Amino acid sequence: MATEAASQSDTYQEFLATVKRISNVGSAQGLLNWDQEVMMPEEGTPARSQQLSALSALSHELLTSDEMAQYLDDLEDADLDAGQQAVVREVRRKHERATRVPTELVEEISQTAAEAHPTWKEAREEDDFSTFAPTLEKLVDLKRQYAEHIDPDADPYEVLFEDYEPYLGLDTAEETLERLREELVPLVEAVRESDVDLATPFEVSASEASGGSEDVTSSGGEFDPDTQEELARDVLDTLGYDWDRGRLDTAPHPFSTGTQFDARVTTRFNPADPLGALTSTIHEFGHATYTLGLPDEHYATPLGESRDLTVHESQSRLWENHVGRSLPFWERFLPVMQERFPQLDDATPRDVYEAANTVKEDNLIRVEADELTYHMHIVVRFEVERELIAGDLDVEDVPEVWNDKYEEYLGIRPDTDAEGCLQDIHWSHGSFGYFPTYSLGSVLAAQLYDAAEDDLGDLDDRIREGEFDDLHEWLTENVHQHGCLYTTDDLVREATGESFTADHFVDYVTEKYGDLYDL
């Protein structure tokens, strides 16, 4: 008996060593992707696409090897503890999906996505969808092939969605988006009919912003981007970002990536909108603080990796919306902002709170959307990419269908492809099925925040005083430290005492915007 236990232990340790090799290859891919979007020279794509393709192939070969299959068979009925069982469960799921996909297809998808990034970037800069259309068509075809290999009898979009959220199910995403559409559309209409005008402290004249000088070019615009970067670092300091394990850079589309030892954030700056850069930075901080909260001792194993994108997005949306867009936060942070931008000296915390939560009638950009209309942006993307993957929408028709849906759901129509279907980077990565997790994450953020307040008491005073340790610790204890120990819904139940539900989010936005707009 002791011999059998020792044998199982040895098998598990050999299995875990292979798992760590796969994870480290993935981490290297992540760093190369970060470099491509942040620092790589413009002409570096031919080499980078081959590098990423080679790493994708290596990871795929390790995951689908006969050796891995044998480990999983040997551990099927082994006497493992809960953590070890979770590691085997997560790896088995990935192994079973990966073994159905040919290595050549994995390489082709990776190389095409790497080459797609500069093409998408050029198309957006030139406002010309036709530049990106052939690449998008190829990516759609490749991802259809990928989904068909994994499960030829399933809805291909569902297969792709499960790459990002394997446990809640596409039906939960559809039900959640339908509920948000039903609840938020009338709320947005009520807001637009309200007579309340919220404050606009950032709409200062160019002359004011440049200290009275008519020549604003030398000042960098209304809100100088270099000064905005200093302010972004201020907000990360305020929230408790670990600079020893992270860094801040700029990217065309803000993102966060890394491990618990190296979690990096990016943002972007608009001279007319310092608030956008701040909320973007806080959003990416939420992702990074989740990554940094994963247990060091389980690095490169599922127990040291995040629980998929619904939970990841819940962390970014919690920090961005429930903290960064709250009145107590601006009571704390506005003086710091006024030191950087004296033209805001007359603004009050209430002014900035209102500006941060204004429901915009003419905003076309998802990442600049308010908490209410944001989800209609997600619905548009969800419906467009479902039709693309199903073969019910031709790539060449995407701009027109996209614009029609914006008109239907948001009452506005893009004038350009750049502010329409080219605004997001996701499709250039081949990331179809990703977008619903943004709404799922927003919903979960409200559920987790309410659970934290149930345990800790009202958080407003702590936020007002800049004391974020209790919230950090609660999230680490109830979410971060578990890695992939639990499936998504089990993790939600462990953290909140109930299954995933949109009730908390609907209550939160109804109360918040009812107060703001006197509904």
Side-chain angles (χ1 to χ4, degrees):
M1 201 71 173
T3 303
E4 181 180 349
S7 176
Q8 288 182 353
S9 177
D10 290 344
T11 299
Y12 182 81
Q13 291 306 317
E14 292 169 7
F15 159 76
L16 197 63
T18 302
V19 169
K20 289 181 177 181
R21 283 197 291 273
I22 296 168
S23 179
N24 280 313
V25 170
S27 294
Q29 286 177 273
L31 279 176
L32 287 178
N33 282 316
W34 172 88
D35 178 76
Q36 183 175 18
E37 295 188 34
V38 175
M39 299 184 70
M40 189 185 79
E42 289 187 8
E43 299 300 317
T45 300
R48 184 53 43 86
S49 64
Q50 292 185 49
Q51 293 158 2
L52 289 169
S53 176
L55 289 176
S56 292
L58 175 58
S59 178
H60 185 75
E61 289 164 2
L62 287 169
L63 183 58
T64 61
S65 67
D66 292 341
E67 181 182 47
M68 177 60 77
Q70 188 61 56
Y71 286 142
L72 291 169
D73 285 346
D74 291 344
L75 294 170
E76 177 73 33
D77 298 314
D79 184 18
L80 304 176
D81 64 32
Q84 293 170 331
Q85 290 174 23
V87 171
V88 172
R89 178 195 68 219
E90 295 298 315
V91 176
R92 177 178 286 112
R93 180 186 172 278
K94 291 179 180 178
H95 169 80
E96 289 176 350
R97 286 170 70 89
T99 52
R100 299 168 188 164
V101 182
T103 301
E104 331 55 279
L105 179 57
V106 172
E107 288 184 274
E108 188 174 6
I109 290 172
S110 178
Q111 184 163 349
T112 303
E115 293 169 352
H117 179 264
T119 306
W120 163 78
K121 188 177 178 182
E122 177 188 352
R124 195 179 70 160
E125 290 172 352
E126 299 296 326
D127 185 28
D128 182 11
F129 179 76
S130 65
T131 300
F132 182 56
T135 300
L136 178 58
E137 189 162 9
K138 184 177 181 181
L139 283 166
V140 169
D141 179 62
L142 290 171
K143 296 302 278 193
R144 281 192 197 128
Q145 293 180 45
Y146 169 87
E148 186 172 0
H149 279 292
I150 290 176
D151 190 345
D153 299 322
D155 175 349
Y157 187 82
E158 183 172 11
V159 176
L160 299 180
F161 170 76
E162 289 172 352
D163 275 345
Y164 306 105
E165 178 42 70
Y167 294 112
L168 281 183
L170 184 60
D171 56 341
T172 298
E174 291 174 322
E175 291 166 6
T176 301
L177 289 172
E178 181 61 31
R179 170 121 190 246
L180 295 182
R181 185 163 43 198
E182 290 175 355
E183 300 275 5
L184 299 186
V185 168
L187 183 54
V188 171
E189 290 175 357
V191 164
R192 289 176 174 172
E193 291 171 2
S194 170
D195 294 329
V196 173
D197 292 320
L198 300 187
T200 56
F202 300 102
E203 293 182 6
V204 298
S205 71
S207 176
E208 288 177 298
S210 59
S213 168
E214 294 302 320
D215 178 12
V216 299
T217 304
S218 62
S219 73
E222 294 183 4
F223 293 94
D224 175 54
D226 289 340
T227 309
Q228 286 193 52
E229 182 172 351
E230 294 170 0
L231 189 63
R233 294 179 181 278
D234 290 337
V235 80
L236 290 172
D237 285 338
T238 298
L239 294 173
Y241 186 51
D242 185 352
W243 292 104
D244 291 333
R245 297 192 181 198
R247 53 181 292 134
L248 172 69
D249 296 275
T250 59
H253 192 99
F255 70 101
S256 172
T257 190
T259 70
Q260 52 267 65
F261 295 102
D262 177 1
R264 308 178 184 195
V265 299
T266 66
T267 192
R268 64 186 180 191
F269 305 106
N270 179 346
D273 180 25
L275 194 57
L278 277 178
T279 53
S280 168
T281 302
I282 296 171
H283 179 100
E284 300 307 334
F285 163 82
H287 282 303
T289 198
Y290 180 15
T291 303
L292 291 169
L294 296 166
D296 289 358
E297 65 271 20
H298 293 302
Y299 166 72
T301 80
L303 295 180
E305 295 169 352
S306 58
R307 175 67 290 163
D308 304 309
L309 284 182
T310 295
V311 179
H312 230 311
E313 290 302 332
S314 77
Q315 302 306 288
S316 59
R317 300 297 278 177
L318 186 152
W319 284 98
E320 176 191 354
N321 293 331
H322 295 264
V323 176
R325 295 184 192 269
S326 71
L327 179 58
F329 177 80
W330 286 105
E331 290 171 343
R332 174 69 181 184
F333 194 70
L334 180 57
V336 179
M337 193 173 197
Q338 288 168 329
E339 288 181 13
R340 298 292 187 190
F341 293 110
Q343 63 264 40
L344 296 172
D345 280 351
D346 292 336
T348 67
R350 178 75 189 191
D351 290 339
V352 183
Y353 168 67
E354 291 184 3
N357 293 285
T358 298
V359 177
K360 303 170 185 176
E361 296 190 16
D362 58 353
N363 174 58
L364 292 160
I365 309 301
R366 175 184 63 84
V367 296
E368 298 173 5
D370 56 86
E371 286 181 273
L372 299 185
T373 60
Y374 181 87
H375 300 283
M376 297 306 100
H377 291 260
I378 298 301
V379 168
V380 168
R381 288 153 175 77
F382 173 66
E383 293 184 355
V384 169
E385 65 181 17
R386 280 212 77 171
E387 292 177 20
L388 270 176
I389 296 300
D392 296 332
L393 173 63
D394 292 334
V395 166
E396 64 182 14
D397 296 327
V398 165
E400 183 178 1
V401 171
W402 179 287
N403 295 350
D404 288 346
K405 288 183 182 293
Y406 259 71
E407 198 159 31
E408 177 183 357
Y409 294 136
L410 288 154
I412 50 179
R413 190 175 186 88
D415 292 324
T416 68
D417 294 339
E419 64 185 11
C421 59
L422 286 174
Q423 65 178 271
D424 290 306
I425 199 172
H426 302 61
W427 291 345
S428 73
H429 289 162
S431 298
F432 301 96
Y434 188 125
F435 283 115
T437 64
Y438 286 117
S439 287
L440 295 174
S442 296
V443 163
L444 181 54
Q447 187 173 348
L448 288 170
Y449 195 82
D450 280 356
E453 289 206 313
D454 286 344
D455 287 348
L456 300 174
D458 186 81
L459 291 170
D460 283 357
D461 287 342
R462 291 180 175 89
I463 294 172
R464 191 176 290 112
E465 295 301 318
E467 296 173 357
F468 299 104
D469 286 351
D470 288 346
L471 181 56
H472 273 292
E473 289 170 7
W474 189 92
L475 290 169
T476 298
E477 179 181 348
N478 290 281
V479 179
H480 308 168
Q481 72 165 350
H482 297 305
C484 292
L485 177 62
Y486 302 110
T487 62
T488 308
D489 205 42
D490 285 344
L491 177 63
V492 174
R493 278 195 295 269
E494 287 287 326
T496 70
E498 59 183 340
S499 291
F500 179 89
T501 173
D503 291 347
H504 298 270
F505 177 79
V506 171
D507 290 345
Y508 157 70
V509 293
T510 301
E511 180 180 351
K512 180 177 182 176
Y513 287 90
D515 172 69
L516 280 163
Y517 284 93
D518 196 22
L519 303 179

